[in-house]
Amino acid sequence: MSSRDHFTSRIGFILAAAGSAIGLGAIWKFPYMAGTNGGSVFILLFILCTIFIGLPILISEFMIGRRGQRDPINSFKEQAPGKPWYTVGWIGLIAAGLILSFYSVVGGWILSYLFRALTFSLTGKGLNFALLFNDLITNPWEAIFAQGTFMLLTLLIVQAGIKGGIEVASKWMMPLLFIFFILLFIRSITLDGAVEGIKFMFIPDWSYFNVDTLVLALGQAFFSLSLGVCAMITYASYLAKSEKIVNSAVNVAAMNIIISLLAGLVIFPAVFALDYSPEQGPGLVFIMIPAVFEQLPMGSILLIVFFILLLFATVTSSIALLEVVVAIGIGNKTQTRKKATWIFAIIIFVIGIPSALSFGLLSDLKILDKSIFDFVDYLTSGILLPIGALMISLFAGFHYSKKISREEMQSSPFIYWTWLIIVRFIAPIAILVILLNSVLG
Ligand code: PFF
């Protein structure tokens, strides 16, 4: 493809940006983070962080990308010649690569589950879903093989280019996934004892209100909106000048919150009704989803469809991650795109292997008291994404003149000034305080 293709329609862009945002972050990570951090307080903080910090930064990324019309590094270089802003691009490259390294591990789990669903070995009375998940993640060969297969899939789609791959896939799969979640929610909420799950999600237990929860909620907001790694800058660089970025950003953020909450509303009522613990960690969704489907008529068939949809949601995010790495990595040398895609994919695969093994073979290896998988997650969501987001916020807030940013936003004065105050002061200060607390504390 030519690297300067444009999206054919606004809805195409929104769906592609939402496709990049909505993925494992909302469906896999959000429920387990909420589960291990007391539920309601984490959820509340996540929503607040999304609206008051994430959304304004998302608008900023759209603005920077659309104005630049090129890959992030060159975009920053051209918009701020001689200044070091382009380092944001390098942070993005490293963060996106690291995220993809463990994202592909979880993508691999989905492939393994899909395979099991297709062979009907995920259903049948008396299955212990927790044990089943454990068997899978502790088997080194399966974990690495599945991770590699997932990377290959991502790589092949990225090579096919923006229009062919991303747009078409997101257009169909996202709405279908949404319908599925509604169906699952109805089943989950009508189980006996489900109401405890709702209480867990919505009645605050303030003992969980502390800086750690705040760091995690902010990291979750950035991760799930794909912020701080220049992904949205990259996507918006394909956006025509005439599009309204505020509306697009609001849509993406809203869809992301809705899918996250829906995932929680499917998982937590079932957790309490079926007597599981909300604190299962990364396995939560993989354990609970088959358990909920077991309660449905034709569950084993529906489970197959569900994992296919989940795979698509995951792939629309993983392609964004690889796209960022490739776009930044090759800059304007677009003729090397194909080769670069392969090289980066292989490097990221290799970097991801320790994460894939960190539940089994390497489970004793700890960095800062965390497993390798958790450490890479913390390094990205807890440190790199906030730093990237901070710089992007300052760039849009201070580097652009008010005339430029107002023109770009095309919105009412109230919305414009609220945005400006947030990206100039509130977001940077909040991110800094939270970052310092997390690193020093
Ligand atoms: N937002 C994605 C998710 O929630 O699954 C993860 C992600 C994709 C992060 C792309 C960053 C990115 F550039």
Side-chain angles (χ1 to χ4, degrees):
M1 78 163 198
S2 119
S3 64
R4 288 294 111 221
D5 276 350
H6 280 88
F7 283 96
T8 46
S9 61
R10 194 168 98 91
I11 192 77
F13 168 74
I14 292 181
L15 286 173
S20 137
I22 296 162
L24 292 175
I27 300 164
W28 158 79
K29 200 173 175 199
F30 173 80
Y32 99 72
M33 295 294 279
T36 42
N37 292 288
S40 51
V41 169
F42 176 87
I43 294 175
L44 183 69
L45 291 176
F46 162 74
I47 294 177
L48 293 177
C49 287
T50 299
I51 296 175
F52 293 107
I53 301 182
L55 178 60
I57 294 179
L58 182 57
I59 294 173
S60 311
E61 289 212 17
F62 282 172
M63 198 183 273
I64 297 168
R66 190 179 58 175
R67 268 190 86 73
Q69 294 281 314
R70 22 172 74 243
D71 68 279
I73 290 197
N74 283 309
S75 182
F76 280 113
K77 276 190 179 157
E78 202 175 85
Q79 297 186 58
K83 305 229 172 82
W85 286 108
Y86 65 91
T87 43
V88 183
W90 293 114
I91 295 175
L93 175 110
I94 295 169
L98 284 175
I99 291 177
L100 186 54
S101 79
F102 71 86
Y103 210 83
S104 54
V105 172
V106 185
W109 297 347
I110 295 175
L111 285 178
S112 292
Y113 264 72
L114 180 59
F115 180 75
R116 282 176 171 67
L118 282 167
T119 52
F120 296 112
S121 43
L122 276 183
T123 34
K125 287 286 165 224
L127 266 186
N128 182 332
F129 295 114
L131 212 62
L132 200 131
F133 177 72
N134 198 52
D135 281 350
L136 189 158
I137 58 170
T138 50
N139 177 341
W141 298 117
E142 176 165 356
I144 293 176
F145 179 75
Q147 176 210 357
T149 312
F150 182 83
M151 272 309 281
L152 188 65
L153 193 67
T154 303
L155 160 82
L156 293 176
I157 299 178
V158 168
Q159 275 199 352
I162 286 277
K163 288 204 176 73
I166 306 175
E167 214 171 310
V168 176
S170 349
K171 238 180 203 161
W172 293 98
M173 293 294 176
M174 302 307 287
L176 255 180
L177 186 70
F178 187 77
I179 294 171
F180 241 79
F181 267 112
I182 302 269
L183 175 82
L184 287 174
F185 165 59
I186 295 171
R187 174 64 275 205
S188 189
I189 195 76
T190 49
L191 292 169
D192 263 354
V195 72
E196 286 308 311
I198 302 294
K199 286 190 195 153
F200 179 75
M201 283 182 72
F202 296 111
I203 299 183
D205 171 355
W206 294 110
S207 65
Y208 282 92
F209 186 80
N210 54 43
V211 177
D212 291 343
T213 315
L214 193 57
V215 176
L216 294 173
L218 183 73
Q220 175 65 20
F222 288 157
F223 182 88
S224 68
L225 283 177
S226 308
L227 293 179
V229 293
C230 304
M232 294 304 193
I233 294 184
T234 310
Y235 271 59
S237 72
Y238 299 102
L239 197 58
K241 290 266 182 204
S242 54
E243 301 302 347
K244 286 213 160 121
I245 51 181
V246 176
N247 282 354
S248 307
V250 169
N251 278 322
V252 172
M255 279 192 261
N256 193 48
I257 292 181
I258 291 172
I259 292 277
S260 299
L261 287 179
L262 262 180
L265 286 168
V266 171
I267 304 291
F268 291 116
V271 161
F272 287 90
L274 304 175
D275 236 3
Y276 283 84
S277 150
E279 301 195 19
Q280 316 253 4
L284 183 66
V285 171
F286 290 91
I287 295 167
M288 293 317 300
I289 289 290
V292 175
F293 274 99
E294 194 172 53
Q295 309 288 326
L296 279 173
M298 295 202 316
S300 44
I301 305 278
L302 292 175
L303 191 59
I304 298 175
V305 184
F306 178 83
F307 275 117
I308 293 175
L309 294 175
L310 182 57
L311 181 64
F312 259 89
T314 308
V315 165
T316 51
S317 302
S318 65
I319 49 185
L321 286 162
L322 188 57
E323 175 73 34
V324 171
V325 175
V326 173
I328 298 176
I330 64 174
N332 41 22
K333 297 192 283 297
T334 45
Q335 68 282 9
T336 58
R337 188 182 168 90
K338 192 167 175 190
K339 197 164 122 202
T341 310
W342 276 92
I343 295 174
F344 282 121
I346 291 171
I347 296 174
I348 292 168
F349 167 67
V350 173
I351 295 177
I353 290 177
S355 289
L357 296 179
S358 68
F359 297 90
L361 273 183
L362 299 181
S363 58
D364 289 337
L365 199 64
K366 303 270 183 224
I367 309 175
L368 295 182
D369 229 17
K370 295 175 170 45
S371 71
I372 302 171
F373 183 97
D374 285 343
F375 176 74
V376 182
D377 178 18
Y378 167 76
L379 183 63
T380 47
S381 288
I383 298 179
L384 292 176
L385 299 193
I387 294 178
L390 172 70
M391 292 177 73
I392 286 166
S393 182
L394 293 174
F395 184 85
F398 289 103
H399 182 77
Y400 286 147
S401 68
K402 288 202 209 59
K403 181 168 175 296
I404 290 182
S405 51
R406 189 181 285 154
E407 230 172 68
E408 287 284 335
M409 292 233 340
Q410 301 168 296
S411 61
S412 69
F414 175 73
I415 293 181
Y416 173 72
W417 281 99
T418 311
W419 171 84
L420 191 69
I421 291 171
I422 291 180
V423 293
R424 280 195 168 181
F425 309 109
I426 299 179
I429 293 172
I431 297 172
L432 255 183
V433 170
I434 293 173
L435 249 177
L436 288 179
N437 256 303
S438 121
V439 175
L440 303 177

